[in-house]
Amino acid sequence: MDMRVTDLSIARGGVPLLEGVSFALVPGQALILRGPNGSGKTTLLRTLAGLQPALAGTLTFDSESVAYGAHADGLKAQMTVAENLTFWAAVHGGADIAPALAAFDLQALRDRLAGALSAGQKRRLGLARLMVTGRALWLLDEPTVSLDAGSVALFAAAVRRHLAGGGMAVIATHIDLGLPEAAVLDLGPLKAALPQADDFDGAFL
Amino acid sequence: MIALLRRDLVLAVRAGGGFGLGLAFFLILVALVAFGVGPGGALLARIAPGILWVGALLACLLSLDRIFALDREDGSLELLATAPLPMEGIVSVKALAHWITTGLPLVVAAPLLGLMLSLPGPGYPWLFLSLLIGTPALSVIGTFGAALTVGLKRGGLLLSLIVLPLYVPVLIFGAEVARRGAEGQALQTPLLLLAGITCGTLALLPFASAAVLRVNLR
Amino acid sequence: MSSLWEYANPKKFVETSQRVLPWVTVLSVACLVVGLVWGFFFTPEDYRQGATVKIIYLHVPSALVAINAWFMMLLASLIWLIRRHHVSALAARAAAPVGAVMTVIALATGAIWGQPMWGTWWVWDPRLTSFLILFLFYLGYIALWAAVEDGDTAADLTSILCIVGSVFAVLSRYAVFFWNQGLHQGASLSMDAEENVADVFYYPLLVCIAGFVLFFVALVLLRTQTEIRARRMRALMARERMG
């Protein structure tokens, strides 16, 4: 199953952000999204994840194959690391959590309450969640925020394993992830033009 | 879905106040009414069914804004929306969890509080039954209100303003069953109507709740 | 033959409504003046209710508009949800405060009428109570519009609230009738009622109702224009910020 996005236009709060976004991914490929703050990376990922409608364009992939990693990790402070992960595994069909814990070096923390983790540890737990979903397409929004160099390497290794297993990933990031094989899409030039005055009267945004 | 229910119940227990808070509020409310109208047993006995129903309704209202707000804050609501659960299912499970943590304790405690308000003897089973049938509707309607206001900063007051008028039919029929039960009158009609409203809301309102939740997650 | 949906274009709507608005306003004022003067000064006093019956010329039309305003909002909400015409959503928003005020007028005139008739300002009569609940629905609807910042999100949320609210309003009405049989007289106007108001009262009442309905239409047209302009202004400001 490959992923194809054609002429996608997106808007945030009624204001068009990007237009003419097109790319294609085949299993084993990753795409890095780049662009300054406010250029629409988060909105693009949310649109791909099916959380908000696109203004125009076509998406040819199953929204049931998407694992979305947002800014917030969706962790419950009152539950332990293992419980948090088990919950997400159960929601997605009950995968084993041990490999995910191992991949992000969380075994030692498995019985710690998530509320007692440091910011970097929480992030690692949030990323480990992706592995238990068993979904093919990872959509990641700034996944390396508050990770140290060692953890970024763990993350890069996890992404590489995912790709090797036939997965795909779309990652919005500013830093170098150490994934030289990934394609890069710069969103800067795709900034949406202002709507024409006439359309504007007709549709008012 | 069962995992979601279990998680919500675990959180309600661990976060503290999940089960206890609504119940404590219910108790205080009943005590305040007794202080307010005076200790005369006859008057209290007459208004007891209504007081208990209004109290249950307000106690239920108190915890509504937590149904989605916490999940929204930590991002798990968005992640759940992309999970393989249908949104209608998520909403129904949330309502069920709310009923188990808030409605069910109220149903169990109400006869006890009825004792404090000198509710007449024949009223107890009907009070219990009317609350048992009616409180699930309160949770489902409340979940709709919570889904409607989840994105708002000061949604609490607005939530009450929107949800309370929606509670009117449930309250009328529920309290009517309890009152007629206490006075030993025929109560088949209001009981059936109450059950009908509950079944209708359980069947239809999750679709509306899911729709507004999707809009709010946009 | 052009389609009705052409008027869903905001520009077209503003142009047309601006042309229609003065006529509707003049007509509504004319109807109100004629109807009220006729009703207040040129009808006999009721043999049971005396002069107090004349408040009917405010009470019945406002109550009628209050209910039908909600129906209009329901219809507009459905149109928004199905066809996504912005004007429709804004018209629903514009009608809500007018409907709420009509509900207050109906309640207030009802209380004033009730005082000499029933000896009390307020009774928990099913009709009065239904109107109180209707008023609460209006308040919730208006508050939700005001609270949500994004226009389309607010339109979606309020539309669904309007639909759900309609179902519960009907339920409440029957619940309230069940709860208390009430003192209120039967419907003043209906096709099949035997106990209808007499013809002398009936014709000025019809004129008053026409006046109120036209008044409602005029207000909604005006307020919808305002909403469109406000929406347009916000859009222009957003455009400005984008540079």
Side-chain angles (χ1 to χ4, degrees):
Chain A
M1 187 213 73
D2 54 350
M3 169 193 191
R4 187 175 300 280
V5 171
T6 320
D7 261 337
L8 186 69
S9 295
I10 57 170
R12 180 86 198 136
V15 181
L17 280 178
L18 295 172
E19 60 186 15
V21 180
S22 300
F23 60 85
L25 283 181
V26 295
Q29 272 188 336
L31 179 75
I32 309 274
L33 299 177
R34 290 198 192 279
N37 291 131
S39 60
K41 297 190 294 292
T42 298
T43 309
L44 177 56
L45 287 173
R46 285 176 56 87
T47 309
L48 295 178
L51 285 170
Q52 63 179 69
L55 281 185
T58 48
L59 304 171
T60 59
F61 59 95
D62 186 4
S63 70
E64 289 282 300
S65 64
V66 167
Y68 177 51
H71 285 287
D73 291 312
L75 304 176
K76 289 293 174 191
Q78 296 90 356
M79 303 203 321
T80 66
V81 169
E83 281 171 335
N84 266 302
L85 216 48
T86 309
F87 165 67
W88 287 111
V91 165
H92 284 88
D96 185 14
I97 64 164
L101 284 173
F104 286 91
D105 195 17
L106 289 165
Q107 296 103 324
L109 300 171
R110 65 175 288 145
D111 292 322
R112 186 91 67 89
L113 286 182
L117 297 180
S118 77
Q121 288 166 333
K122 277 183 191 159
R123 187 92 262 215
R124 264 149 60 197
L125 178 52
L127 294 172
R129 184 187 66 83
L130 296 168
M131 292 183 61
V132 301
T133 60
R135 296 270 176 102
L137 174 58
W138 289 4
L139 302 173
L140 304 179
D141 197 354
E142 302 287 358
T144 53
V145 170
S146 61
L147 289 185
D148 57 21
S151 305
V152 173
L154 283 179
F155 167 66
V159 172
R160 209 166 270 140
R161 260 198 312 280
H162 177 63
L163 298 177
M168 293 177 285
V170 178
I171 306 168
T173 184
H174 285 109
I175 67 156
D176 183 20
L177 292 174
L179 289 169
E181 68 274 28
V184 173
L185 179 67
D186 187 2
L187 297 180
L190 298 173
K191 192 167 182 300
L194 289 174
Q196 292 301 305
D198 281 347
D199 301 348
F200 184 75
D201 263 336
F204 52 30
L205 283 182
Chain B
M1 298 244 246
I2 292 165
L4 179 60
L5 180 64
R6 195 183 305 132
R7 183 194 73 151
D8 274 13
L9 295 181
V10 165
L11 284 175
V13 172
R14 289 201 194 155
F19 285 97
L21 213 61
L23 216 51
F25 177 79
F26 195 25
L27 176 65
I28 290 172
L29 198 84
V30 167
L32 286 180
V33 167
F35 294 145
V37 304
L43 176 60
L44 279 181
R46 210 154 64 78
I47 61 174
I51 297 302
L52 290 169
W53 253 94
V54 171
L57 194 146
L58 292 178
C60 192
L61 188 73
L62 203 64
S63 49
L64 285 181
D65 59 340
R66 294 172 49 134
I67 296 181
F68 293 115
L70 297 178
D71 278 354
R72 164 87 176 191
E73 269 165 36
D74 63 22
S76 36
L77 197 57
E78 272 191 353
L79 300 181
L80 278 174
T82 59
L85 303 177
M87 194 68 101
E88 287 78 8
I90 294 174
V91 169
S92 305
V93 168
K94 286 278 177 187
L96 179 61
H98 179 261
W99 183 71
I100 293 175
T101 53
T102 312
L104 195 57
L106 293 180
V107 174
V108 175
L112 219 60
L113 295 175
L115 216 58
M116 290 171 62
L117 293 174
S118 45
L119 184 75
Y124 289 93
W126 298 113
L127 175 71
F128 180 80
L129 190 65
S130 69
L131 282 170
L132 189 67
I133 295 176
T135 46
L138 296 184
S139 286
V140 173
I141 296 169
T143 308
F144 171 69
L148 207 55
T149 54
V150 66
L152 305 174
K153 269 154 244 124
R154 286 180 300 279
L157 202 59
L158 182 62
L159 176 62
S160 320
L161 183 61
I162 289 174
V163 165
L164 284 178
L166 298 178
Y167 276 173
V168 168
V170 181
L171 173 67
I172 287 179
F173 290 123
E176 191 71 13
V177 172
R179 188 184 67 77
R180 291 191 180 189
E183 292 172 4
Q185 298 174 2
L187 43 66
Q188 196 190 9
T189 318
L191 190 63
L192 287 179
L193 284 168
L194 179 67
I197 290 178
T198 301
C199 292
T201 52
L202 286 179
L204 298 177
L205 215 48
F207 293 98
S209 310
V212 292
L213 203 53
R214 276 191 206 104
V215 170
N216 266 327
L217 281 175
R218 255 186 349 221
Chain C
M1 182 67 201
S2 62
S3 150
L4 178 68
W5 299 115
E6 255 177 44
Y7 297 96
N9 176 308
K11 202 171 169 183
K12 177 96 176 153
F13 177 85
V14 171
E15 275 170 11
T16 316
S17 62
Q18 253 166 352
R19 246 180 299 130
V20 173
L21 191 55
W23 294 100
V24 177
T25 314
V26 167
L27 211 59
S28 97
V29 170
C31 280
L32 282 176
V33 169
V34 169
L36 289 177
V37 169
W38 186 359
F40 280 127
F41 299 110
F42 300 99
T43 55
E45 295 187 354
D46 187 77
Y47 71 97
R48 270 179 305 156
Q49 304 195 355
T52 55
V53 76
K54 293 186 173 178
I55 204 167
I56 196 175
Y57 299 110
L58 291 174
H59 181 68
V60 171
S62 60
L64 209 117
V65 171
I67 293 175
N68 286 300
W70 186 273
F71 280 120
M72 178 238 140
M73 282 157 57
L74 176 63
L75 196 68
S77 299
L78 286 171
I79 293 175
W80 159 250
L81 285 179
I82 295 166
R83 299 200 52 138
R84 315 295 290 179
H85 292 309
H86 286 87
V87 172
S88 179
L90 293 179
R93 178 182 190 166
V98 184
V101 170
M102 288 294 176
T103 317
V104 172
I105 294 176
L107 281 173
T109 51
I112 294 167
W113 195 1
Q115 211 282 330
M117 285 301 102
W118 306 328
T120 168
W121 293 99
W122 180 263
V123 285
W124 288 96
D125 162 88
R127 273 167 186 262
L128 284 181
T129 314
S130 312
F131 262 76
L132 186 65
I133 295 168
L134 182 65
F135 181 59
L136 294 177
F137 275 114
Y138 273 121
L139 285 188
Y141 180 87
I142 295 168
L144 187 63
W145 258 113
V148 184
E149 276 162 33
D150 181 65
D152 284 2
T153 307
D156 280 336
L157 296 179
T158 50
S159 298
I160 297 173
L161 176 64
C162 186
I163 294 168
V164 171
S166 305
V167 175
F168 276 87
V170 172
L171 275 180
S172 301
R173 198 187 122 86
Y174 286 103
V176 164
F177 270 88
F178 178 81
W179 170 71
N180 190 348
Q181 296 305 325
L183 299 167
H184 202 289
Q185 64 197 55
S188 308
L189 295 174
S190 64
M191 294 302 163
D192 55 344
E194 287 172 17
E195 192 198 346
N196 234 328
V197 289
D199 282 355
V200 248
F201 302 114
Y202 188 65
Y203 293 113
L205 185 56
L206 277 189
V207 178
C208 277
I209 288 173
F212 264 78
V213 170
L214 287 169
F215 185 50
F216 171 77
V217 170
L219 281 177
V220 170
L221 285 180
L222 188 64
R223 289 182 50 85
T224 309
Q225 281 182 24
T226 314
E227 294 289 347
I228 288 173
R229 294 209 171 100
R231 179 80 193 248
R232 176 112 199 270
M233 202 171 70
R234 274 200 300 280
L236 283 171
M237 265 150 55
R239 215 157 112 99
E240 201 97 307
R241 277 198 299 277
M242 275 172 68

